[in-house]
Amino acid sequence: MKKILLCFGTRPEAIKMASLVHELKKSGKFTVEVCVTAQHREMLDQVLNFFEIVPDYDLDIMKANQTLNELSGRIFISIDSIVEKAKPDVVLVHGDTTTSAICAWAAFHRGIKVGHVEAGLRTFDKLAPFPEEMNRQITGRIADFHFAPTSMSTQHLLNEGVDKKTIVTTGNTVIDSLLWTKNKLDSGYQNDTLDNLRQLIDFNKKVILVTGHRRENFGDGFLNICHALKKLSNNTEVEIVYPVHLNPNVQKPVLELLSSTQNIHLINPLDYPAFVWMMSQSHFIITDSGGVQEEAPSLGKPVLVMRNTTERPEAIDAGTVILVGTDTQKIFETAEELLANNETYKKMQHAHNPYGDGKACMRIVEYLEQKL
Ligand code: UD1
Ligand code: UDP
């Protein structure tokens, strides 16, 4: 039986690979193993727990405030002995993180084939998102199989000369995980985090859900974001809920500037079902997250994206996402418009999702069954 080793390390990779781990195991045609670098620790473990994934290998490499080069070096050294020992036929990596690029590279050095899930997204600006645009391009150059979420991402790969027989347009696996989780919530799933949220937040008001973590927004970008949220909180008819990413470069400005505001709830990163529930209860979302841009349209929630460029233009074209950058006034005014103008809100609220139908993992597994 051919062996597939899935390597991932951060929260979003885990969410997007979780459904694939289960679908591959369900196929029964492969030996499936999971290696986590633990580039993230707590935020990764939240996902592993919920999706009931017990890694076969855990490199446990996270250090507080890690630099990109330290992180890359630690992953390179520790993944090598795993690929040597596990001897997989294929390594699957996801998206654009340091874990993905380094694990792909390490597999290539050992002569092992690489499959890239969420391939072909591009901004063509190597500084935005930084370093993710280059991580994704490097991984794409190394990969033998490319699982592209949309026809646009497939086209990017074709334009770069990638052999069409190695590309499959699958939809994004995040939608598989989202729909599975939503189903679970709709069937009565409960946990303590959900109970706490119900007590903490006044859902009679309009709830704005916020997340942010991009490296290119560190410094002035985050200060501007916080000023915009502070201004928005003067409207006492809104509740702002902000699960703060554990990166110290995010925690510091956010806690310093927003801690003492009554209708801004700064909370720990939420477990995945609680975050999905919060998205579904929110009026709209302000974020710089890639994954949230893909999920929110399925829930009919408008998204203001605090970035100047995005590798996910499909949602902008679909009208559910607006880029607002990190300019305080632009964030504030666009959010105020969405709060005040029902017409604008309704136009953005289509529950149409350009990112998938929840069957991405099935398509990836079918392709691998044929190829291997
Ligand atoms: C990483 C990815 C980014 C992805 C993001 C998702 C890279 C270069 N960046 O960025 O593409 O969008 O994850 O969230 O791969 N920390 C903890 N506990 C955790 C997680 C993080 O304490 O569970 C803190 C640590 O101090 C850590 C720091 O956050 O050093 C930064 O983590 P890192 O993975 O390097 O960067 P992210 O900004 O999380
Ligand atoms: N998410 C979560 N808890 C939170 C915030 C986000 O589970 O408190 C989920 C969200 O639903 C999405 C993913 O984490 O699936 C996005 O992760 P992040 O924004 O950290 O990374 P990105 O998608 O930008 O790479």
Side-chain angles (χ1 to χ4, degrees):
M1 220 189 266
K2 299 284 184 190
K3 186 189 267 192
I4 297 181
L5 179 69
L6 297 98
C7 297
F8 50 90
T10 65
R11 168 174 68 192
E13 290 166 82
I15 292 168
K16 291 168 165 183
M17 290 292 241
S19 302
L20 185 56
V21 171
H22 289 302
E23 193 71 25
L24 282 165
K25 288 192 170 167
K26 208 170 84 188
S27 134
K29 300 215 167 87
F30 309 107
T31 304
V32 180
E33 289 189 343
V34 171
C35 172
V36 296
T37 60
Q39 172 177 338
H40 284 173
R41 188 69 274 174
E42 302 89 328
M43 288 160 58
L44 172 76
D45 292 342
Q46 280 183 321
V47 182
L48 296 176
N49 289 340
F50 175 64
F51 286 99
E52 299 181 8
I53 292 172
V54 180
D56 300 275
Y57 309 96
D58 188 333
L59 308 183
D60 199 24
I61 50 101
M62 194 195 85
K63 296 258 190 302
N65 217 358
Q66 56 208 1
T67 68
L68 293 173
N69 286 333
E70 285 166 3
L71 172 67
S72 306
R74 281 199 299 279
I75 298 171
F76 242 135
I77 287 169
S78 44
I79 191 71
D80 189 45
S81 56
I82 305 300
V83 280
E84 197 191 9
K85 184 169 151 203
K87 297 201 185 344
D89 296 284
V90 177
V91 163
L92 292 181
V93 297
H94 183 279
D96 60 8
T97 68
T98 298
T99 287
S100 321
I102 303 294
C103 289
W105 209 338
F108 165 68
H109 283 163
R110 289 272 173 193
I112 296 161
K113 287 205 173 356
V114 173
H116 189 196
V117 182
E118 201 187 72
L121 281 69
R122 297 284 185 270
T123 61
F124 303 104
D125 174 353
K126 71 179 184 184
L127 298 181
F130 173 83
E132 289 83 2
E133 174 71 9
M134 284 320 291
N135 282 343
R136 200 186 300 269
Q137 291 199 25
I138 288 164
T139 309
R141 291 304 294 268
I142 292 170
D144 301 277
F145 312 121
H146 308 260
F147 303 107
T150 66
S151 51
M152 191 183 285
S153 40
T154 294
Q155 192 56 50
H156 289 149
L157 293 166
L158 291 172
N159 294 348
E160 289 170 11
V162 175
D163 179 353
K164 145 160 137 208
K165 292 195 288 297
T166 66
I167 310 172
V168 197
T169 310
T170 58
N172 198 308
T173 60
V174 79
I175 305 301
D176 301 32
S177 295
L178 174 74
L179 296 183
W180 186 82
T181 305
K182 193 166 173 301
N183 219 1
K184 231 174 140 135
L185 286 163
D186 292 345
S187 323
Y189 175 88
Q190 289 300 334
N191 67 20
D192 290 348
T193 324
L194 289 165
D195 285 346
N196 293 339
L197 289 170
R198 283 193 194 92
Q199 283 176 23
L200 181 73
I201 297 153
D202 182 353
F203 286 102
N204 293 316
K205 297 186 175 170
K206 286 181 175 167
V207 174
I208 303 174
L209 180 62
V210 180
T211 77
H213 69 83
R214 300 241 81 89
R215 272 180 165 73
E216 62 272 21
N217 290 345
F218 290 172
D220 287 348
F222 264 95
L223 296 179
N224 294 344
I225 290 167
C226 290
H227 291 311
L229 295 175
K230 189 96 182 170
K231 269 179 100 168
L232 265 177
S233 73
N234 290 330
N235 180 343
T236 52
E237 284 313 297
V238 303
E239 288 270 88
I240 297 176
V241 181
Y242 184 169
V244 187
H245 192 288
L246 295 180
N247 193 322
N249 299 292
V250 178
Q251 291 259 325
K252 190 165 182 290
V254 171
L255 297 182
E256 271 176 20
L257 289 170
L258 301 177
S259 277
S260 53
T261 312
Q262 213 192 353
N263 54 342
I264 301 184
H265 304 280
L266 301 181
I267 55 177
N268 282 327
L270 292 170
D271 57 63
Y272 190 57
F275 191 77
V276 170
W277 185 78
M278 268 312 307
M279 282 196 285
S280 68
Q281 300 303 307
S282 69
H283 192 54
F284 62 87
I285 301 168
I286 306 182
T287 188
D288 64 16
S289 162
V292 175
Q293 285 177 66
E294 293 156 344
E295 292 164 333
S298 274
L299 304 170
K301 301 298 171 181
V303 185
L304 307 188
V305 175
M306 298 182 292
R307 294 172 58 175
N308 297 319
T309 178
T310 178
E311 64 284 26
R312 295 168 168 93
E314 295 89 345
I316 298 180
D317 296 344
T320 56
V321 160
I322 300 180
L323 288 187
V324 290
T326 53
D327 179 77
T328 302
Q329 201 54 19
K330 173 103 182 180
I331 299 171
F332 172 71
E333 281 170 6
T334 319
E336 280 281 287
E337 166 76 6
L338 264 186
L339 285 167
N341 190 334
N342 211 24
E343 286 274 293
T344 313
Y345 184 82
K346 285 242 141 64
K347 267 195 211 147
M348 287 187 75
Q349 213 197 357
H350 333 286
H352 159 69
N353 199 316
Y355 293 108
D357 57 3
K359 295 185 181 140
C361 295
M362 194 188 80
R363 295 187 185 102
I364 295 171
V365 173
E366 278 173 6
Y367 178 86
L368 289 171
E369 283 173 353
Q370 280 171 22
K371 272 282 158 192
L372 304 180

mmCIF file of all heavy atoms in Angstrom, residues 50 181-199 271 273-274 277 281:
data_model
loop_
_atom_site.group_PDB
_atom_site.id
_atom_site.type_symbol
_atom_site.label_atom_id
_atom_site.label_comp_id
_atom_site.label_asym_id
_atom_site.label_seq_id
_atom_site.Cartn_x
_atom_site.Cartn_y
_atom_site.Cartn_z
ATOM 1 N N PHE A 50 -10.287 19.080 18.261
ATOM 2 C CA PHE A 50 -11.651 19.089 17.745
ATOM 3 C C PHE A 50 -11.844 18.055 16.635
ATOM 4 O O PHE A 50 -12.851 17.340 16.596
ATOM 5 C CB PHE A 50 -12.039 20.489 17.249
ATOM 6 C CG PHE A 50 -13.388 20.518 16.591
ATOM 7 C CD1 PHE A 50 -14.542 20.236 17.320
ATOM 8 C CD2 PHE A 50 -13.519 20.799 15.235
ATOM 9 C CE1 PHE A 50 -15.793 20.232 16.716
ATOM 10 C CE2 PHE A 50 -14.764 20.796 14.621
ATOM 11 C CZ PHE A 50 -15.907 20.517 15.365
ATOM 12 N N THR A 181 -18.271 21.157 10.251
ATOM 13 C CA THR A 181 -18.373 21.760 11.587
ATOM 14 C C THR A 181 -19.737 22.414 11.783
ATOM 15 O O THR A 181 -20.360 22.293 12.852
ATOM 16 C CB THR A 181 -17.239 22.802 11.764
ATOM 17 O OG1 THR A 181 -15.999 22.145 11.514
ATOM 18 C CG2 THR A 181 -17.238 23.401 13.156
ATOM 19 N N LYS A 182 -20.212 23.082 10.736
ATOM 20 C CA LYS A 182 -21.507 23.756 10.822
ATOM 21 C C LYS A 182 -22.620 22.723 11.056
ATOM 22 O O LYS A 182 -23.518 22.924 11.872
ATOM 23 C CB LYS A 182 -21.750 24.542 9.534
ATOM 24 C CG LYS A 182 -22.892 25.504 9.662
ATOM 25 C CD LYS A 182 -22.943 26.497 8.554
ATOM 26 C CE LYS A 182 -24.210 27.322 8.669
ATOM 27 N NZ LYS A 182 -25.437 26.511 8.624
ATOM 28 N N ASN A 183 -22.481 21.615 10.366
ATOM 29 C CA ASN A 183 -23.435 20.522 10.533
ATOM 30 C C ASN A 183 -23.468 20.033 11.975
ATOM 31 O O ASN A 183 -24.523 19.774 12.554
ATOM 32 C CB ASN A 183 -22.964 19.381 9.630
ATOM 33 C CG ASN A 183 -24.116 18.714 8.978
ATOM 34 O OD1 ASN A 183 -25.262 19.116 9.193
ATOM 35 N ND2 ASN A 183 -23.835 17.690 8.186
ATOM 36 N N LYS A 184 -22.266 19.923 12.529
ATOM 37 C CA LYS A 184 -22.151 19.467 13.920
ATOM 38 C C LYS A 184 -22.816 20.469 14.875
ATOM 39 O O LYS A 184 -23.549 20.095 15.799
ATOM 40 C CB LYS A 184 -20.657 19.341 14.270
ATOM 41 C CG LYS A 184 -20.316 17.992 14.874
ATOM 42 C CD LYS A 184 -18.859 17.784 15.095
ATOM 43 C CE LYS A 184 -18.764 17.079 16.413
ATOM 44 N NZ LYS A 184 -17.928 15.985 16.568
ATOM 45 N N LEU A 185 -22.586 21.756 14.610
ATOM 46 C CA LEU A 185 -23.198 22.803 15.441
ATOM 47 C C LEU A 185 -24.720 22.762 15.297
ATOM 48 O O LEU A 185 -25.457 22.855 16.283
ATOM 49 C CB LEU A 185 -22.678 24.183 15.033
ATOM 50 C CG LEU A 185 -21.243 24.521 15.464
ATOM 51 C CD1 LEU A 185 -20.703 25.708 14.668
ATOM 52 C CD2 LEU A 185 -21.168 24.820 16.962
ATOM 53 N N ASP A 186 -25.182 22.607 14.048
ATOM 54 C CA ASP A 186 -26.628 22.564 13.806
ATOM 55 C C ASP A 186 -27.265 21.348 14.477
ATOM 56 O O ASP A 186 -28.455 21.337 14.786
ATOM 57 C CB ASP A 186 -26.931 22.527 12.293
ATOM 58 C CG ASP A 186 -26.550 23.837 11.618
ATOM 59 O OD1 ASP A 186 -26.338 24.834 12.329
ATOM 60 O OD2 ASP A 186 -26.436 23.856 10.361
ATOM 61 N N SER A 187 -26.449 20.290 14.689
ATOM 62 C CA SER A 187 -27.019 19.095 15.359
ATOM 63 C C SER A 187 -26.831 19.151 16.879
ATOM 64 O O SER A 187 -26.936 18.122 17.543
ATOM 65 C CB SER A 187 -26.354 17.814 14.857
ATOM 66 O OG SER A 187 -26.065 17.855 13.536
ATOM 67 N N GLY A 188 -26.490 20.366 17.394
ATOM 68 C CA GLY A 188 -26.511 20.528 18.853
ATOM 69 C C GLY A 188 -25.164 20.422 19.548
ATOM 70 O O GLY A 188 -25.111 20.346 20.779
ATOM 71 N N TYR A 189 -24.044 20.446 18.780
ATOM 72 C CA TYR A 189 -22.722 20.379 19.427
ATOM 73 C C TYR A 189 -22.585 21.524 20.437
ATOM 74 O O TYR A 189 -22.941 22.668 20.144
ATOM 75 C CB TYR A 189 -21.623 20.493 18.360
ATOM 76 C CG TYR A 189 -20.225 20.549 18.944
ATOM 77 C CD1 TYR A 189 -19.510 19.396 19.202
ATOM 78 C CD2 TYR A 189 -19.630 21.787 19.246
ATOM 79 C CE1 TYR A 189 -18.228 19.453 19.745
ATOM 80 C CE2 TYR A 189 -18.350 21.853 19.784
ATOM 81 C CZ TYR A 189 -17.659 20.681 20.034
ATOM 82 O OH TYR A 189 -16.399 20.743 20.573
ATOM 83 N N GLN A 190 -22.085 21.225 21.618
ATOM 84 C CA GLN A 190 -21.888 22.227 22.672
ATOM 85 C C GLN A 190 -20.505 22.087 23.261
ATOM 86 O O GLN A 190 -19.979 20.977 23.330
ATOM 87 C CB GLN A 190 -22.889 21.994 23.823
ATOM 88 C CG GLN A 190 -24.316 22.337 23.499
ATOM 89 C CD GLN A 190 -24.516 23.799 23.122
ATOM 90 O OE1 GLN A 190 -23.737 24.665 23.529
ATOM 91 N NE2 GLN A 190 -25.522 24.068 22.310
ATOM 92 N N ASN A 191 -19.930 23.181 23.704
ATOM 93 C CA ASN A 191 -18.743 23.082 24.562
ATOM 94 C C ASN A 191 -18.696 24.299 25.482
ATOM 95 O O ASN A 191 -19.534 25.205 25.363
ATOM 96 C CB ASN A 191 -17.452 22.872 23.746
ATOM 97 C CG ASN A 191 -17.086 24.080 22.902
ATOM 98 O OD1 ASN A 191 -17.537 25.199 23.160
ATOM 99 N ND2 ASN A 191 -16.255 23.862 21.901
ATOM 100 N N ASP A 192 -17.721 24.340 26.383
ATOM 101 C CA ASP A 192 -17.666 25.427 27.371
ATOM 102 C C ASP A 192 -17.435 26.783 26.714
ATOM 103 O O ASP A 192 -17.966 27.804 27.165
ATOM 104 C CB ASP A 192 -16.525 25.174 28.377
ATOM 105 C CG ASP A 192 -16.853 23.996 29.279
ATOM 106 O OD1 ASP A 192 -18.020 23.547 29.266
ATOM 107 O OD2 ASP A 192 -15.936 23.523 29.984
ATOM 108 N N THR A 193 -16.630 26.794 25.645
ATOM 109 C CA THR A 193 -16.349 28.081 24.977
ATOM 110 C C THR A 193 -17.654 28.687 24.464
ATOM 111 O O THR A 193 -17.879 29.892 24.608
ATOM 112 C CB THR A 193 -15.388 27.881 23.771
ATOM 113 O OG1 THR A 193 -14.452 26.870 24.083
ATOM 114 C CG2 THR A 193 -14.700 29.149 23.398
ATOM 115 N N LEU A 194 -18.499 27.866 23.882
ATOM 116 C CA LEU A 194 -19.778 28.376 23.354
ATOM 117 C C LEU A 194 -20.626 28.937 24.489
ATOM 118 O O LEU A 194 -21.204 30.024 24.368
ATOM 119 C CB LEU A 194 -20.522 27.258 22.622
ATOM 120 C CG LEU A 194 -19.924 26.825 21.286
ATOM 121 C CD1 LEU A 194 -20.502 25.491 20.834
ATOM 122 C CD2 LEU A 194 -20.166 27.885 20.222
ATOM 123 N N ASP A 195 -20.672 28.223 25.615
ATOM 124 C CA ASP A 195 -21.429 28.712 26.790
ATOM 125 C C ASP A 195 -20.902 30.067 27.243
ATOM 126 O O ASP A 195 -21.671 30.995 27.514
ATOM 127 C CB ASP A 195 -21.291 27.728 27.965
ATOM 128 C CG ASP A 195 -22.136 26.492 27.748
ATOM 129 O OD1 ASP A 195 -23.006 26.540 26.853
ATOM 130 O OD2 ASP A 195 -21.909 25.495 28.453
ATOM 131 N N ASN A 196 -19.565 30.171 27.321
ATOM 132 C CA ASN A 196 -18.960 31.426 27.790
ATOM 133 C C ASN A 196 -19.274 32.577 26.848
ATOM 134 O O ASN A 196 -19.545 33.699 27.290
ATOM 135 C CB ASN A 196 -17.431 31.292 27.912
ATOM 136 C CG ASN A 196 -17.074 30.318 29.029
ATOM 137 O OD1 ASN A 196 -17.881 30.064 29.918
ATOM 138 N ND2 ASN A 196 -15.871 29.762 28.975
ATOM 139 N N LEU A 197 -19.237 32.305 25.548
ATOM 140 C CA LEU A 197 -19.518 33.375 24.571
ATOM 141 C C LEU A 197 -20.955 33.871 24.722
ATOM 142 O O LEU A 197 -21.218 35.070 24.674
ATOM 143 C CB LEU A 197 -19.291 32.866 23.141
ATOM 144 C CG LEU A 197 -17.830 32.633 22.736
ATOM 145 C CD1 LEU A 197 -17.746 31.904 21.399
ATOM 146 C CD2 LEU A 197 -17.063 33.961 22.648
ATOM 147 N N ARG A 198 -21.876 32.933 24.948
ATOM 148 C CA ARG A 198 -23.288 33.320 25.091
ATOM 149 C C ARG A 198 -23.470 34.252 26.296
ATOM 150 O O ARG A 198 -24.294 35.151 26.275
ATOM 151 C CB ARG A 198 -24.168 32.082 25.279
ATOM 152 C CG ARG A 198 -24.408 31.352 23.997
ATOM 153 C CD ARG A 198 -25.529 30.327 24.117
ATOM 154 N NE ARG A 198 -25.479 29.442 22.979
ATOM 155 C CZ ARG A 198 -24.813 28.283 22.938
ATOM 156 N NH1 ARG A 198 -24.183 27.833 24.001
ATOM 157 N NH2 ARG A 198 -24.813 27.558 21.844
ATOM 158 N N GLN A 199 -22.666 34.021 27.353
ATOM 159 C CA GLN A 199 -22.793 34.869 28.541
ATOM 160 C C GLN A 199 -22.093 36.212 28.373
ATOM 161 O O GLN A 199 -22.537 37.228 28.887
ATOM 162 C CB GLN A 199 -22.185 34.144 29.738
ATOM 163 C CG GLN A 199 -23.134 33.081 30.250
ATOM 164 C CD GLN A 199 -22.546 32.270 31.366
ATOM 165 O OE1 GLN A 199 -21.643 32.713 32.055
ATOM 166 N NE2 GLN A 199 -23.044 31.068 31.554
ATOM 167 N N ASP A 271 -11.584 27.972 19.787
ATOM 168 C CA ASP A 271 -11.527 26.673 19.119
ATOM 169 C C ASP A 271 -12.383 26.773 17.845
ATOM 170 O O ASP A 271 -13.231 27.671 17.721
ATOM 171 C CB ASP A 271 -11.995 25.540 20.051
ATOM 172 C CG ASP A 271 -13.391 25.762 20.583
ATOM 173 O OD1 ASP A 271 -14.331 25.789 19.772
ATOM 174 O OD2 ASP A 271 -13.557 25.932 21.810
ATOM 175 N N PRO A 273 -15.006 25.144 16.333
ATOM 176 C CA PRO A 273 -16.476 25.234 16.328
ATOM 177 C C PRO A 273 -16.974 26.548 16.922
ATOM 178 O O PRO A 273 -17.947 27.122 16.431
ATOM 179 C CB PRO A 273 -16.920 24.034 17.174
ATOM 180 C CG PRO A 273 -15.708 23.582 17.903
ATOM 181 C CD PRO A 273 -14.533 23.977 17.073
ATOM 182 N N ALA A 274 -16.281 27.057 17.946
ATOM 183 C CA ALA A 274 -16.711 28.324 18.550
ATOM 184 C C ALA A 274 -16.501 29.478 17.577
ATOM 185 O O ALA A 274 -17.331 30.393 17.487
ATOM 186 C CB ALA A 274 -15.950 28.571 19.850
ATOM 187 N N TRP A 277 -19.190 29.300 14.944
ATOM 188 C CA TRP A 277 -20.449 29.777 15.540
ATOM 189 C C TRP A 277 -20.447 31.303 15.633
ATOM 190 O O TRP A 277 -21.425 31.958 15.287
ATOM 191 C CB TRP A 277 -20.634 29.140 16.923
ATOM 192 C CG TRP A 277 -21.944 29.484 17.554
ATOM 193 C CD1 TRP A 277 -23.160 28.947 17.265
ATOM 194 C CD2 TRP A 277 -22.163 30.468 18.579
ATOM 195 N NE1 TRP A 277 -24.133 29.535 18.052
ATOM 196 C CE2 TRP A 277 -23.541 30.467 18.857
ATOM 197 C CE3 TRP A 277 -21.332 31.333 19.277
ATOM 198 C CZ2 TRP A 277 -24.104 31.307 19.820
ATOM 199 C CZ3 TRP A 277 -21.895 32.173 20.236
ATOM 200 C CH2 TRP A 277 -23.257 32.160 20.502
ATOM 201 N N GLN A 281 -22.966 34.118 14.003
ATOM 202 C CA GLN A 281 -23.747 35.046 14.832
ATOM 203 C C GLN A 281 -23.396 36.505 14.557
ATOM 204 O O GLN A 281 -24.038 37.413 15.074
ATOM 205 C CB GLN A 281 -23.472 34.790 16.331
ATOM 206 C CG GLN A 281 -23.818 33.407 16.825
ATOM 207 C CD GLN A 281 -25.266 33.064 16.569
ATOM 208 O OE1 GLN A 281 -26.158 33.820 16.946
ATOM 209 N NE2 GLN A 281 -25.521 31.964 15.902
#
